[in-house]
Amino acid sequence: MQEPDIKITQIYGLFARMMHFVNVGDTEFGHTHQFDHATLLAHGSVLVRCRGKETVFKAPQLIWIAADLKHELVAQEAGTICVCLHTVESSKLVGDIVSPDMIPAGAEESFARSTSGETA
């Protein structure tokens, strides 16, 4: 059992945290958030534990996660992919987070313009 592989991005105040659970049993261990948010289960299935109860969700599915609720995610299938989605207050995290591997071929110039403030 391992933790999932994580990739994050933030663009215009939308924060996305993608979790790739490579193996069955990989676990995003119990944690809380200060806000309600949605988790998109894009592929596979995941068991969600909250307050001693368990629910299994199968993709495609949106999962609501309440603020301050300790929860844990456990992959039920190899290759499960979940993405936590929420807005970010500008006071908490400023600027975009974009990994170079997110930019499709042909969009490099557009990306460079958008990050420099230039217009076409």
Side-chain angles (χ1 to χ4, degrees):
M1 174 175 26
Q2 296 183 26
E3 293 184 44
D5 294 331
I6 306 292
K7 287 190 177 184
I8 63 169
T9 187
Q10 177 187 317
I11 302 172
Y12 291 109
L14 173 65
F15 180 86
R17 182 175 187 267
M18 182 173 68
M19 297 169 280
H20 177 207
F21 297 83
V22 176
N23 301 300
V24 173
D26 285 358
T27 302
E28 177 68 6
F29 293 98
H31 60 282
T32 62
H33 304 274
Q34 296 176 353
F35 41 80
D36 296 343
H37 75 278
T39 296
L40 167 64
L41 174 56
H43 182 77
S45 59
V46 68
L47 178 142
V48 179
R49 288 188 182 119
C50 301
R51 294 189 180 133
K53 297 185 178 183
E54 299 180 341
T55 306
V56 174
F57 293 95
K58 178 96 173 130
Q61 180 69 49
L62 285 167
I63 304 166
W64 181 73
I65 305 293
D68 301 318
L69 177 65
K70 188 172 183 179
H71 58 285
E72 181 173 274
L73 307 172
V74 182
Q76 302 300 290
E77 297 177 40
T80 292
I81 297 176
C82 293
V83 184
C84 293
L85 302 165
H86 57 83
T87 59
V88 177
E89 296 176 25
S90 60
S91 62
K92 294 187 182 209
L93 187 59
V94 177
D96 292 342
I97 301 170
V98 178
S99 173
D101 67 355
M102 294 172 52
I103 303 166
E108 300 89 351
E109 288 182 30
S110 298
F111 176 75
R113 274 195 308 273
S114 73
T115 58
S116 70
E118 295 177 29
T119 57

